[in-house]
Amino acid sequence: MKVSNRALSSRFADAARSSDRGVTRANWAELLDWKLDQESDRPIYQQVADFLRNKILSGVLPPSSRLPSSRQLLTELGVSRTTIITAYSQLLADGYIVGHIGSGTYVAHDVINRIDPKTLPVRLPAEARGLSKRGGRYRDVDLTRLVMDNVPFNVGMVRVDGRTSAQLRQLAARKLAVDPSQLGYIDPMGDISLRDEIAKYLGVARGVRCSADQIILVAGTQQAVDLAIKVLLDPGDEVWIEDPAYPFTALALDAAGMLLRPVRVDDDGLSIADGIAAAPNARAAFVTPSHQYPLGVSLSLQRRQQLLDWAARNNAWIVEDDYDSEFRYDGPSLPALQALDRAGRVIYAGSFSKVVFPGLRYGYLVVPPALVGAFTGARALSDRHPPVFFGSLLAEFMERGFFVSHIRRMRNEYRRARDILAGQLKRDIGHLVDVVTPGQGMHLTVYLRDGLSDEQVGAEARREGIMVRPISRLYRANPPRSGLMLGFAGFDEHRLRSAATRLSLVLERLSPRPGQTSGRKHAAI
Ligand SMILES: Cc1ncc(COP(=O)(O)O)c(C=O)c1O
C-alpha cells in the first residue's frame, strides 16, 4: 500500500499545526498501546522502529516534537535499552528523527521531505492492533495484483473505437449541461431507464428472465460480489470456488472470513461431483460458467443442471459472474444459469468493464425478487446509489442502439486480434507450448510443457516489457497447471505481433532442448 505524498503532506500539515499550538511532547496515551508481536519474524528493535515510524507518519508524534528518552521508553515498552537505541539509530539514519540519542531526539521538522516514499512501511503493524479480524485481512490484501499497466498482454485492457468514443463524447457533453435530474440523490438501485435497457438486453442476449425491478446497478462485479457476501453469507460459511479462480472473488471471500472450498475445473467446467464430495452443505458457489476464469472453458449443460439441482436441494446460492459473455466468436453460448434456474437460487452479475471499459465502474446484479430488499438495503448503506451521470449516459448509449453496435464492431475486432495472436504463437512456438484459441472472451491460454514454470516465464517476459499472467498461482488445492493468460483485446495488430515475437523468444530461450528436461516445478500459491 503506497501512501501518496499529497496524503502525507496534509497529515503532516495537521500535525505541524498541532505542534505550533505547543504539542511538542509525545502523546503518551497513544504510545502505550505497544505490544510485542511474539509471532512476528521481525527482530524486536525493528518492531519498535516500525511502531515509532507509524506514530510519526500518522501524526501522533508531530514534526519537531521531542521523543521520549530511551529510559522512559524502555520503562513503558518493557524492552531493553539496547533495543531502543538500535531502533532510534535506524530512525535517525532514515531521517525520521534528528538529534542525539541520550541528549534529546526530535521528530525531524521537515520529515515529509526527508522520507523516501520507497522506504514507507507497506504495513502498519502497530496501528493494525486496533483493527477487527476482518480489517486485518483487508490490510493483508496484496494490492500489487491491481497494477494494470498498458502493456501487452495485460488481461485488464480493452479497446474503444473512434465511433464509440465520439458517441460517448457527444452524450457526455449534453449530459454535462446542468440537468436538474442530476442534482439530487436517486433510487439506490440506480437509473430506471438503464435498468430497463439491461433487462431487455439480457433477455435477448443471455436468456436471463427478469424485470427492471430485480436489477440493482453496482460499481462493477467487485461490488456485486461484495454485496452478495454481505447479504447471503456469514463469516465461517463454506463456499465453493473454482480451482483455479478469479483472484478478486477469492480475495473478497477470504477477506470476509469465508471457508473457501476449492473445486476442480476440467474441460466441462466446475466438477459438481467434486464439490458435493468435498463440501455438500456449502452455503454458496461463486462461478464463471460461460467462460471460466482463467481456463476459458464453458460449464456444460449437464453440469449446469447438476449445479442448479444441488443449490435447490441445499438452499445454497449460486453467484454467476457472466463477465465477458458479450464477446462470443464461434456460435451461440449456452444460456446463463439464471435462465435455467427454477428455484430462485441464482444471483447473476454482469459488468460494463469488459464490454465498454473498466474505468466506468458500472455493473449490475440480477437477484430473485425475494432478495431485492436485502440487496438494495446493503447497497444503499454502502454508497447510497450509483453515480447519476454515468448511469444516464449508459442508459442513452443503450437506448439509441449504440451499445449493441459497439458490441458487434468490437466483437469483430477482438476476433481478429484473437486470430492474429493465436495464429502467430501456433506458428512460432506451437512445438513448445499448447495454444488454446478461445470461443469467447478477451484472453487466450497458453499451456507450458516439460515442467516449464509459468512464474519464471512471467518474470522473464516482464523484463521484455510484456505482461503474461501465470495460471498456477490461481490454484489453491488441485495440482496447478503451468500456463499463461494472454489478453489480446486491448492492443492493435502491431503491438500484438511485436509482443508475440518477444514472448516467443522468451519461451525459446527458457524451454529445455530436446532430450533435456527443465526439472523445474511450477509454483503454487
Ligand atoms: C472473472 C471476472 N469477473 C469480472 C470482471 C469485471 O470486474 P469489474 O466489473 O469489477 O471490473 C473481470 C475483469 O477482469 C473478470 O476477469
Side-chain angles (χ1 to χ4, degrees), residues 31-226:
L31 289 183
L32 295 183
D33 66 353
W34 154 265
K35 210 165 99 230
L36 179 68
D37 184 350
Q38 303 277 9
E39 315 222 312
S40 170
D41 299 336
R42 283 175 93 65
I44 303 177
Y45 82 86
Q46 195 72 63
Q47 292 192 39
V48 173
D50 290 347
F51 172 75
L52 292 171
R53 190 186 301 109
N54 292 333
K55 294 300 174 195
I56 293 171
L57 290 173
S58 60
V60 169
L61 290 167
S64 304
S65 63
R66 184 179 178 134
L67 286 159
S69 71
S70 51
R71 200 175 303 278
Q72 281 172 305
L73 206 54
L74 75 89
T75 314
E76 294 301 338
L77 306 189
V79 295
S80 77
R81 186 150 189 265
T82 317
T83 297
I84 303 282
I85 290 174
T86 317
Y88 272 20
S89 307
Q90 189 178 76
L91 294 173
L92 270 170
D94 292 345
Y96 288 85
I97 62 176
V98 292
H100 297 282
I101 300 168
S103 59
T105 35
Y106 297 81
V107 176
H109 76 279
D110 57 348
V111 64
I112 176 70
N113 302 327
R114 289 168 175 255
I115 299 170
D116 174 356
K118 288 200 286 298
T119 67
L120 286 174
V122 171
R123 287 187 190 157
L124 306 175
E127 289 175 3
R129 276 204 302 281
L131 292 176
S132 65
K133 284 195 187 120
R134 196 184 316 118
R137 291 191 294 266
Y138 283 125
R139 178 203 59 198
D140 291 341
V141 172
D142 180 4
L143 296 179
T144 54
R145 293 184 186 202
L146 285 173
V147 175
M148 284 292 163
D149 294 346
N150 180 0
V151 292
F153 302 101
N154 182 347
V155 288
M157 300 296 301
V158 304
R159 261 180 306 158
V160 169
D161 66 6
R163 178 145 8 147
T164 295
S165 297
Q167 289 163 344
L168 289 174
R169 225 178 4 254
Q170 205 184 48
L171 293 177
R174 277 226 323 278
K175 303 255 165 230
L176 271 177
V178 177
D179 175 347
S181 70
Q182 298 193 8
L183 297 182
Y185 293 110
I186 61 160
D187 181 346
M189 295 173 82
D191 187 307
I192 183 63
S193 323
L194 179 53
R195 290 190 283 128
D196 270 330
E197 289 301 320
I198 292 170
K200 277 189 265 171
Y201 167 75
L202 289 179
V204 175
R206 306 292 299 125
V208 168
R209 295 164 305 135
C210 69
S211 72
D213 297 340
Q214 290 168 256
I215 297 186
I216 299 163
L217 299 175
V218 290
T221 309
Q222 205 59 39
Q223 193 183 27
V225 166
D226 186 50

Side-chain angles (χ1 to χ4, degrees), residues 18 28 32 72 112 174 241 245-246 249 267 347 438 510 517:
S18 68
W28 273 101
L32 295 183
Q72 281 172 305
I112 176 70
R174 277 226 323 278
I241 53 154
Y246 178 49
T249 294
D267 288 347
I347 288 86
L510 295 179
T517 50

Side-chain angles (χ1 to χ4, degrees), residues 148 155-156 219-224 246-249 288 291-293 321-324 350-354 358 361-363 443 469 485:
M148 284 292 163
V155 288
T221 309
Q222 205 59 39
Q223 193 183 27
Y246 178 49
F248 290 104
T249 294
T288 50
H291 188 224
Q292 203 275 332
Y293 186 104
D321 173 357
D322 206 26
Y323 67 109
D324 60 12
S351 175
F352 286 100
S353 288
K354 295 290 190 190
R361 302 313 306 139
Y362 244 94
H443 75 267
R469 197 163 286 192
M485 289 176 79

Side-chain angles (χ1 to χ4, degrees), residues 359-428:
L360 278 173
R361 302 313 306 139
Y362 244 94
Y364 44 88
L365 274 162
V366 181
V367 304
L371 297 184
V372 170
F375 270 91
T376 308
R379 203 231 175 284
L381 295 187
S382 166
D383 65 343
R384 296 279 293 244
H385 61 70
V388 179
F389 176 78
F390 282 114
S392 74
L393 188 135
L394 281 171
E396 199 166 339
F397 188 65
M398 292 184 86
E399 274 159 12
R400 290 179 164 224
F402 296 161
F403 178 68
V404 170
S405 47
H406 171 78
I407 293 176
R408 212 174 294 127
R409 291 196 312 280
M410 296 320 292
R411 188 187 290 139
N412 287 338
E413 288 213 17
Y414 291 164
R415 182 193 286 111
R416 192 161 167 270
R418 174 198 70 164
D419 292 343
I420 288 170
L421 181 59
Q424 181 168 334
L425 291 176
K426 280 180 183 165
R427 193 192 61 219
D428 293 352

